[in-house]
Amino acid sequence: MAVRAVVVGSLVMDLAFKVDVRPGPGDVVIASDFARFRGGKGYNHAVALARMGADVAMVGAVGRDPFGDAFLAALEREHVDASRVVQLRGTPTAVAVPLITPDGAVGYVQYPGANRLLAAAHCADLPDCDVLLLQGEVSASTSCHAGRIMRRRGGDVLLNPAPVAELTEALLDVPTVVSLNQFEARKLLGVGSEVGGVELARRLGRDDRAVVVTLGADGAAWCGQNDEGSSRPPRVQAIDSTAAGASFNAALAISIAEGRSIEEAVRLANAAGAYSSTVVGAEPSLPTRSQAEALLVPA
């Protein structure tokens, strides 16, 4: 039986530019390429989960505009239940401008639009699921509401708290798994680069909460109830890391919902994130399960 997943999160239209360098104050940088992609952490998580084989329902908000229409049509094509994605009047669908440098690194400018108006009331009829994915691009109170419902029902809740500036203590209390990158972890803990990945995960973990810290090209570290450690990803030629995190989290969530160990889950997640970084654009780079498994590094 397929894993049942629900995503409460953002939908963002990406207007992506490839640049040699990101601009400083007063600079004008000429892009070498431009493309438009559907994205946002919530949308990317939902599509990635569906491509990895989960039955997925999404809760989110878009505007009554062409971008919003495009998102709803795309979710239907990806076999994601979009019946709980609302189209709101008076606010546009969120837009972001990713600036991608030749090393595959990405910087963003984002206007949150309809994402900021997703409310707890929009989560009134959440379907049962094995795992719920939450992020930081919608209201923390809305995410808290959804997470508490799922915890009461006994499901796993994975939180990707990005951006961490929006994270509240109440939201951090909700998840059974927290997945974040090393920079977000250090910001939350108020520590510097002298603290390594495993120690970051250990300090953020609790008896009822596993933590996974992604380390870019070095893979990821984790701390669970029974073990801790780190795992390196497969070697690939990275060209765009825009949706690597979403691919990582989707694979992590599915593996955990299937009852696999954190170590096994991180190995598959590393492979999914690595695959994603070899393809330009958020949506095009989200892998199927077979594509991720083909890159698995032996234990």
Side-chain angles (χ1 to χ4, degrees):
M1 181 181 295
V3 166
R4 300 168 302 163
V6 173
V7 178
V8 175
S10 60
L11 302 97
V12 182
M13 188 63 74
D14 289 341
L15 308 177
F17 295 84
K18 296 187 76 171
V19 296
D20 289 334
V21 295
R22 285 185 283 277
D27 288 345
V28 175
V29 174
I30 304 301
S32 60
D33 200 4
F34 166 79
R36 190 180 77 186
F37 301 106
R38 288 173 293 274
K41 291 183 183 300
Y43 177 81
N44 290 342
H45 280 153
V47 174
L49 284 161
R51 291 186 186 175
M52 294 284 288
D55 289 333
V56 188
M58 179 159 192
V59 180
V62 295
R64 288 187 177 272
D65 52 33
F67 287 169
D69 294 340
F71 271 115
L72 293 175
L75 288 167
E76 183 177 355
R77 287 195 301 272
E78 295 287 349
H79 307 291
V80 174
D81 177 1
S83 61
R84 297 168 182 83
V85 176
V86 295
Q87 282 194 288
L88 302 176
R89 297 184 184 276
T91 187
T93 301
V95 176
V97 180
L99 301 176
I100 307 161
T101 48
D103 60 358
V106 187
Y108 300 88
V109 176
Q110 185 181 115
Y111 177 70
N115 289 325
R116 289 293 190 192
L117 300 181
L118 185 69
H122 296 127
C123 304
D125 64 338
L126 289 180
D128 288 334
C129 67
D130 303 302
V131 61
L132 168 71
L133 270 72
L134 304 172
Q135 313 88 35
E137 291 181 338
V138 300
S139 163
S141 61
T142 300
S143 294
C144 276
H145 179 74
R148 287 167 178 160
I149 290 172
M150 288 305 172
R151 288 297 300 269
R152 288 196 297 270
R153 295 179 185 176
D156 280 306
V157 178
L158 189 153
L159 170 67
N160 176 221
V164 293
E166 306 294 327
L167 184 64
T168 63
E169 287 295 331
L171 180 55
L172 195 56
D173 279 340
V174 167
T176 55
V177 181
V178 176
S179 174
L180 71 175
N181 67 39
Q182 59 187 318
F183 308 107
E184 293 159 348
R186 290 184 178 122
K187 186 172 182 178
L188 281 178
L189 292 168
V191 299
S193 59
E194 74 281 357
V195 180
V198 174
E199 180 62 21
L200 290 171
R202 185 185 300 127
R203 293 189 188 185
L204 286 169
R206 298 190 319 206
D207 288 344
D208 62 344
R209 180 176 72 210
V211 175
V212 177
V213 178
T214 57
L215 307 170
D218 291 326
W222 71 87
C223 181
Q225 290 183 346
N226 302 313
D227 65 347
E228 61 183 43
S230 62
S231 177
R232 296 188 65 84
R235 292 184 179 180
V236 296
Q237 183 62 48
I239 59 174
D240 182 0
S241 62
T242 303
S247 300
F248 181 99
N249 289 325
L252 184 72
I254 282 183
S255 296
I256 289 170
E258 290 173 342
R260 301 181 188 276
S261 68
I262 291 289
E263 180 177 5
E264 291 177 302
V266 168
R267 286 182 60 240
L268 181 61
N270 273 336
Y275 177 92
S276 178
S277 71
T278 67
V279 181
V280 174
E283 186 176 12
S285 74
L286 301 170
T288 64
R289 184 149 187 167
S290 62
Q291 287 170 328
E293 288 177 340
L295 290 179
L296 274 175
V297 175

